[in-house]
Amino acid sequence: MAWPGRAGALWSNRDVLETPEEIDCLQELLDRSAAGAGAHLSDIITGDRRLSAAQVCQRLRGMRLLVVATVTADGRPLAGPVDGYLLHGSFYFSSGRNSVRMRHLAARPAVSATHLPGEDLAVTVHGRAELSELPDAAHGELRQAMLDHYLPLQGPAFETWLDQADAVAARIAADKMFTFAAGG
């Protein structure tokens, strides 16, 4: 199946998990976020610098480093890197059940995350974290995405470690998502 991308180009969902409905929901989120952006952000992220939902799904396949920001009990932000995965139009990540990050999210689910591999691409999401057991996240697809990335790099020891880790998954239920791509 193919959907229109930017400038009428067709894009295929081959190699991505997102269904046409999930692409549509993500596009609605991106459009709503852009429409509600302030003047300063709108001046920077003009229409020709925004990615479509299809482009986001295509460009963010596999593991993508995210900087995730949580909120401490006294209201201070705390940011740090995680391995992020875009699955079904939402960002997922995991961490140890007793990590500071996951304790923050269990108590205060407000979260922001940014993927910023360089000055030519940025994807930022704001929302709330929905925590689940790692094997349950996106029906096991987060675990598989992690295996797909790390087994070739670390070998079978990674799967053993992952199955023994006391990890929790987080899905970012996005309220806003902004994209920036130099050259569209």
Side-chain angles (χ1 to χ4, degrees):
M1 177 160 276
W3 298 273
R6 278 251 185 267
L10 288 181
W11 173 85
S12 169
N13 73 335
R14 203 181 85 207
D15 301 328
V16 298
L17 295 172
E18 288 73 17
T19 66
E21 294 79 17
E22 290 166 338
I23 298 280
D24 290 344
C25 286
L26 182 56
Q27 188 62 56
E28 184 178 303
L29 172 66
L30 291 168
D31 293 343
R32 187 176 65 247
S33 299
H40 179 73
L41 187 60
S42 295
D43 285 346
I44 296 167
I45 305 177
T46 56
D48 63 328
R49 291 180 168 170
R50 288 179 51 207
L51 295 175
S52 69
Q55 289 170 317
V56 169
C57 294
Q58 194 69 22
R59 289 183 76 164
L60 298 184
R61 290 182 295 171
M63 193 278 286
R64 296 290 177 237
L65 291 176
L66 300 176
V67 175
V68 170
T70 61
V71 182
T72 64
D74 61 357
R76 291 176 294 118
L78 189 66
V82 298
D83 294 354
Y85 299 86
L86 187 72
L87 304 169
H88 300 289
S90 295
F91 276 116
Y92 286 80
F93 62 92
S94 67
S95 190
R97 183 178 310 278
N98 291 317
S99 68
V100 170
R101 176 178 293 116
M102 289 307 191
R103 290 194 324 257
H104 284 181
L105 293 174
R108 294 166 301 282
V111 64
S112 291
T114 298
H115 171 60
L116 185 68
E119 63 186 73
D120 63 333
L121 177 65
V123 178
T124 299
V125 62
H126 307 289
R128 65 198 174 291
E130 297 174 345
L131 303 182
S132 65
E133 296 301 313
L134 182 58
D136 299 335
H139 309 286
E141 290 170 338
L142 175 59
R143 181 182 183 280
Q144 187 59 53
M146 294 169 73
L147 292 173
D148 290 348
H149 180 76
Y150 281 107
L151 279 177
L153 298 172
Q154 298 183 12
F158 177 79
E159 186 170 14
T160 302
W161 173 85
L162 183 62
D163 290 341
Q164 294 172 355
D166 189 19
V168 176
R171 173 186 173 265
I172 301 177
D175 296 320
K176 295 181 182 179
M177 183 183 280
F178 301 98
T179 66
F180 170 85

